[in-house]
Amino acid sequence: MRVLITGGAGFIGTHIVDTLLARGHEVVSYDAVLASAHSRPPRAARPGERLLVGDVRDPEGVAAALAGVDAVCHQAAMVGLGKDFADAPSYVGCNDLGTAVLLAAMARAGVRDLVLAGSMVVYGEGRYVCARHGVVRPGPRAETDLAAGRFEPRCPSCGAELAPGLVAEDAPVDPRNVYATTKLAQEHLSAAWARSTGGRAVSLRYHNVYGPGMPRDTPYAGVAALFRSALARGAAPRVFEDGGQRRDFVHVRDVAAAGATALESVRDAGAGSFTAYNTGSGDPHTVGEMARALAEAHGGPAPVVTGEYRLGDVRHVTADSARLRAALGWRPEVGFAEGMREFAGVALR
């Protein structure tokens, strides 16, 4: 199979390239190699990979990249929260216009199989249970509460404490920031494309991906990379809120395996179909636990809990990845402790 990977020179894209090549597939990578996403010069092409430099919003460049392709893995995106709402046009342009240009080119080229880099951010807050009212959906946290150090969402009906749990794919979507909104729009565009063309689309809703090759000190750096970068400078990782935010940290090699498996399986889906799969480890940890694990594996210094916060962040969101495991036979292989020990010892890009 010949696969086009948009964003193929990026963090996750590069691992998917390596996984596909190891499985005997041909790969065409298409990446704008923007400085905002790459803290170092872009990597060289892998043996057997054709690496093209271009913007996914360029119809001619995308059309040329699609020549002879059997399936597309769409990783290219602008990620992170951004500085403020003034960044909204850039996010919508890169993520949603770029996806629309790609899908239109696929429709013209007759390419009907798509795997999309989705995200858990489409859910907003995760799943919560109130002892009195059952499963509830708390609204965005008030800035007055955050400033006062009241970080946990409360039941919207009675104000009681809530128990966080695993969120499944059938949970209502509730994007809380511009980036999250664009990721949901990518899914809606992909579903519309599949219905219109008879295509088959899969969205892998990544949880907190970490591992070798993460970009350093760029807007694309996740919290694991920010902590690791601080440790490399001899500085303590700075943990926002009280460090109790629950996340699902999933290793990039496991995510790449999920992407490759989805590409190999998507052709078996029904024409006009769109399916979303949570892609996480299934082993939630707090941000504070992650910071401590990295610091201990690196040899310190210990994390500092700052009480700082960012509007638009959610408190708890962790995955139920049972659907992906059942449908595609995918299993994460890198455990939290093992992954953090490895990540503490690698250099960031």
Side-chain angles (χ1 to χ4, degrees):
M1 177 172 58
R2 175 180 254 190
V3 180
L4 170 64
I5 304 180
T6 68
F11 165 47
I12 297 175
T14 293
H15 282 272
I16 296 175
V17 168
D18 291 341
T19 301
L20 287 172
L21 291 172
R23 295 188 183 191
H25 300 293
E26 296 180 61
V27 174
V28 178
S29 292
Y30 187 78
D31 198 302
V33 293
L34 300 175
S36 59
H38 300 268
S39 53
R40 293 183 181 179
R43 64 171 178 80
R46 303 292 204 247
E49 174 197 20
R50 185 184 178 204
L51 179 54
L52 305 175
V53 176
D55 194 308
V56 75
R57 293 168 291 185
D58 174 18
E60 293 183 0
V62 172
L66 280 167
V69 161
D70 300 303
V72 172
C73 185
H74 185 30
Q75 301 292 312
M78 186 174 179
V79 305
L81 283 182
K83 294 179 181 179
D84 53 44
F85 202 83
D87 291 331
S90 296
Y91 278 90
V92 173
C94 290
N95 297 355
D96 299 338
L97 175 60
T99 298
V101 169
L102 172 66
L103 294 172
M106 290 174 65
R108 288 191 295 270
V111 180
R112 296 293 180 260
D113 292 336
L114 171 71
V115 173
L116 171 69
S119 176
M120 55 83 182
V121 295
V122 301
Y123 297 117
E125 289 285 353
R127 186 178 188 272
Y128 290 88
V129 176
C130 171
R132 180 179 176 186
H133 294 99
V135 176
V136 296
R137 299 284 296 175
R141 295 179 293 170
E143 186 169 9
T144 52
D145 286 336
L146 296 173
R150 296 188 293 269
F151 300 121
E152 292 290 341
R154 295 281 178 158
C155 176
S157 298
C158 67
E161 293 183 2
L162 299 173
L166 300 181
V167 60
E169 292 88 350
D170 59 357
V173 292
D174 185 17
R176 298 288 174 89
N177 54 60
V178 170
Y179 169 63
T181 302
T182 65
K183 295 306 291 184
L184 182 57
Q186 284 185 315
E187 291 195 347
H188 288 326
L189 286 166
S190 299
W193 164 83
R195 288 191 297 269
S196 175
T197 65
R200 298 165 288 267
V202 165
S203 177
L204 298 179
R205 290 176 175 169
Y206 300 157
H207 281 248
N208 291 72
V209 186
Y210 74 96
M214 286 191 84
R216 176 180 56 193
D217 302 331
T218 79
Y220 287 67
V223 66
L226 295 176
F227 291 166
R228 176 65 183 83
S229 184
L231 290 165
R233 298 193 306 269
R238 294 177 61 82
V239 180
F240 279 18
E241 301 187 15
D242 60 359
Q245 310 93 302
R246 285 164 55 89
R247 297 291 188 268
D248 187 318
F249 299 101
V250 58
H251 197 278
V252 67
R253 288 196 297 272
D254 287 331
V255 168
T261 299
L263 284 162
E264 293 167 343
S265 306
V266 66
R267 69 183 66 180
D268 298 326
S273 63
F274 172 86
T275 309
Y277 293 109
N278 287 335
T279 308
S281 70
D283 181 25
H285 290 268
T286 68
V287 172
E289 288 172 340
M290 189 265 285
R292 289 191 295 273
L294 275 179
E296 290 171 4
H298 191 269
V304 174
V305 177
T306 69
E308 297 172 90
Y309 59 88
R310 299 188 305 175
L311 290 177
D313 274 347
V314 298
R315 180 63 175 175
H316 305 298
V317 56
T318 53
D320 181 351
S321 300
R323 176 187 288 183
L324 179 59
R325 298 180 187 214
L328 303 186
W330 171 82
R331 295 288 187 279
E333 297 183 354
V334 182
F336 178 78
E338 173 193 355
M340 290 298 159
R341 283 194 300 269
E342 177 199 45
F343 189 51
V346 301
L348 299 182
R349 293 189 67 250

